[in-house]
Amino acid sequence: MNYQAFLIKYGEIGVKGKNRHIFEDTLVSQLGNAMNRVDGEFKVSRENGRIYVQALSGYDYEEAVDALTKVFGVVGVCPVVMVEDEGFDKLAEDVISFIDHAYEDKNFTFKVAARRARKNYPLDSMELAAELGGRILDAFPEVSVDVHTPQVVINVEIRSHINIYSQTIPGPGGMPVGTAGKAMLLLSGGIDSPVAGYMISKRGVKLEATYFHAPPYTSERAKQKVVDLARIVSRYSGPIKLNVVNFTDIQLYIYEKCPHDQLTIIMRRYMMMIAEHFAKESGCLGLITGESIGQVASQTMQSLAVTNEVCTLPVYRPLIGFDKQEIVDISEKIDAYETSIQPFEDCCTIFVAKHPVTKPNLSAIQKSETHLQEKIDELMKTAIETTEVICVEA
Ligand code: ATP
Ligand code: MG
């Protein structure tokens, strides 16, 4: 079927009082960005408290729906058939043809919801619904009317043109990106951090990311995997500036100077410090990690407290209470899972101790870090100065 437009349903952003127009404007501009990636020409417009995405040329339906259902703030996408007002008989024909194309199996209950935004239409809403309902029943013997709990609602809206739609494709919900500031995601090649980035971005937050790379212990392919994951997240969040930090010398230095059972924790503290440096430099209001309580030794409550201690910005950990399977489910939903499970080495696994501390003590860790005094500032400075910046876009 040829849908000329999509009606965009949005929920939460509708209730923001005075700020409502800011949210709507941001949603309109994010829908525009999303449609720029789709072949064809589209116009996004606001009309009487509604947002429409109208096709001005031929386009690929699947591709358009895929792009629209990745825009945060969108609760539902209704594909709309737009017809001219050429009298009631023509409208009834159009509605019947709409049902014929949209529903192969016509064994369903329905009602017609008619609305007149233009009061000069000869039938009022009730009459229009009743008359159209009658024509539909005549055309398709299998269907029946149920005005209370219909399986299908056929919406017919009389405006300057006429909109016909019945289907709502679920969107991701959340808030449009750009309504809530920016945060720095610590993005690794694992399953968790892309999901964490997705979840915070869903609340309207723009993302930047930092990846700690340890060549030659981690390969170019491991880095490429992180770039690929950033691209997957950016389908939702919009463009991501990715900082790739060469972390090798810092890791080797920690390995040389500190007890091996504390390596991961000390490394994680330096990661947080460097990520926070970039976060502050670019105006981020917080850090994001994929940590979840108890998942590994470095994510016990004690370990998280010790890692957190080096940060002054808030650290957002949206997966903190999630089980692995719950995280995997979201990872699959956002199409990141297949990429995340590619078996490339991670900079943490290479230097990991056989028996890492699970209940680190802050003063013991700080004491070990004094062994790094001689060179760590210089190494941090070099790591920051040699960081590669990659702009990732879907
Ligand atoms: P993930 O699946 O996200 O890699 P994980 O289960 O492997 O997480 P850890 O390796 O302990 O857990 O990492 C915890 C969090 O620290 C990650 O979710 C990520 O936010 C951050 N992190 C870990 N390693 C890196 C890295 N090499 N670069 C950037 N961030 C990292
Ligand atoms: Mg990891």
Side-chain angles (χ1 to χ4, degrees):
M1 189 143 48
N2 194 7
Y3 295 103
Q4 294 87 346
F6 297 91
L7 170 64
I8 304 300
K9 294 198 166 161
Y10 49 95
E12 204 167 348
I13 72 169
V15 299
K16 294 285 170 186
K18 279 194 305 219
N19 291 330
R20 178 178 167 141
H21 70 278
I22 301 172
F23 291 86
E24 287 178 341
D25 288 347
T26 310
L27 181 56
V28 166
S29 91
Q30 293 297 1
L31 287 164
N33 291 344
M35 296 318 277
N36 282 340
R37 302 202 304 265
V38 178
D39 273 342
E41 233 192 295
F42 300 89
K43 188 178 107 185
V44 185
S45 59
R46 238 177 344 152
E47 215 183 284
N48 310 317
R50 292 188 142 193
I51 296 176
Y52 289 97
V53 176
Q54 209 175 325
L56 305 176
S57 68
Y59 69 98
D60 184 88
Y61 173 81
E62 302 293 334
E63 213 191 319
V65 168
D66 184 62
L68 293 172
T69 51
K70 288 189 166 57
V71 177
F72 291 133
V74 171
V75 168
V77 175
C78 309
V80 176
V81 167
M82 282 184 170
V83 297
E84 296 304 317
D85 178 12
E86 294 169 295
F88 177 78
D89 287 333
K90 174 68 171 40
L91 173 60
E93 262 173 48
D94 289 334
V95 170
I96 286 163
S97 149
F98 172 90
I99 294 174
D100 206 16
H101 285 98
Y103 300 93
E104 207 175 315
D105 176 4
K106 304 200 171 49
N107 251 310
F108 58 76
T109 60
F110 79 102
K111 81 170 182 183
V112 175
R115 255 169 306 226
R116 271 192 325 172
R118 175 160 67 76
K119 299 296 171 200
N120 63 356
Y121 195 79
L123 301 175
D124 71 22
S125 305
M126 297 294 281
E127 291 164 343
L128 192 57
E131 294 289 329
L132 283 173
R135 297 284 180 105
I136 294 167
L137 288 171
D138 291 343
F140 306 112
E142 310 95 298
V143 300
S144 55
V145 171
D146 180 345
V147 291
H148 299 296
T149 51
Q151 287 163 322
V152 174
V153 178
I154 310 288
N155 292 280
V156 176
E157 295 175 353
I158 313 286
R159 297 173 174 265
S160 51
H161 53 269
I162 300 174
N163 290 334
I164 307 168
Y165 62 92
S166 65
Q167 199 194 348
T168 304
I169 305 158
M175 312 283 265
V177 172
T179 55
K182 192 162 63 171
M184 178 64 73
L185 170 66
L186 281 88
L187 181 63
S188 67
I191 296 169
D192 306 329
S193 45
V195 173
Y198 166 87
M199 292 199 49
I200 295 298
S201 181
K202 181 164 182 265
R203 298 307 304 165
V205 177
K206 196 172 156 38
L207 298 183
E208 277 192 28
T210 301
Y211 166 58
F212 296 90
H213 186 37
Y217 305 98
T218 60
S219 63
E220 274 303 300
R221 292 184 69 192
K223 173 176 143 189
Q224 185 56 44
K225 175 181 169 185
V226 174
V227 173
D228 293 344
L229 286 169
R231 185 165 293 116
I232 291 167
V233 175
S234 79
R235 292 181 198 149
Y236 295 87
S237 68
I240 296 177
K241 183 178 143 198
L242 173 66
N243 304 295
V244 179
V245 180
N246 185 328
F247 202 52
T248 314
D249 291 343
I250 295 177
Q251 268 186 309
L252 289 173
Y253 191 49
I254 299 171
Y255 193 75
E256 183 193 327
K257 300 284 184 187
C258 301
H260 288 186
D261 63 346
Q262 297 176 350
L263 283 183
T264 310
I265 281 294
I266 295 174
M267 245 168 47
R268 308 251 332 106
R269 281 162 60 90
Y270 281 98
M271 281 187 184
M272 296 303 253
M273 281 186 249
I274 294 174
E276 185 168 274
H277 167 86
F278 288 120
K280 287 181 172 169
E281 202 177 64
S282 60
C284 291
L285 300 173
L287 303 175
I288 307 166
T289 73
E291 290 158 317
S292 147
I293 294 172
Q295 202 188 72
V296 286
S298 60
Q299 298 178 30
T300 60
M301 295 276 278
Q302 292 85 348
S303 297
L304 289 168
V306 172
T307 307
N308 204 72
E309 194 263 343
V310 297
C311 302
T312 57
L313 287 177
V315 181
Y316 296 101
R317 299 180 173 90
L319 310 184
I320 200 69
F322 280 18
D323 296 344
K324 195 72 189 188
Q325 189 56 48
E326 293 170 309
I327 302 170
V328 166
D329 289 346
I330 302 175
S331 174
E332 284 177 332
K333 188 179 81 178
I334 66 171
D335 272 336
Y337 188 68
E338 290 304 319
T339 305
S340 284
I341 59 171
Q342 287 171 7
F344 299 126
E345 61 296 317
D346 172 329
C347 76
C348 305
T349 49
I350 289 158
F351 294 91
V352 85
K354 277 209 187 67
H355 300 289
V357 282
T358 53
K359 293 182 183 151
N361 168 284
L362 180 59
S363 37
I365 296 289
Q366 285 168 329
K367 183 152 173 269
S368 300
E369 285 174 353
T370 61
H371 304 154
L372 302 170
Q373 259 164 7
E374 195 190 330
K375 288 206 304 194
I376 194 70
D377 288 348
E378 191 54 38
L379 291 176
M380 294 260 283
K381 189 162 169 274
T382 307
I384 287 167
E385 282 169 3
T386 58
T387 289
E388 178 192 4
V389 176
I390 304 175
C391 293
V392 183
E393 211 167 332

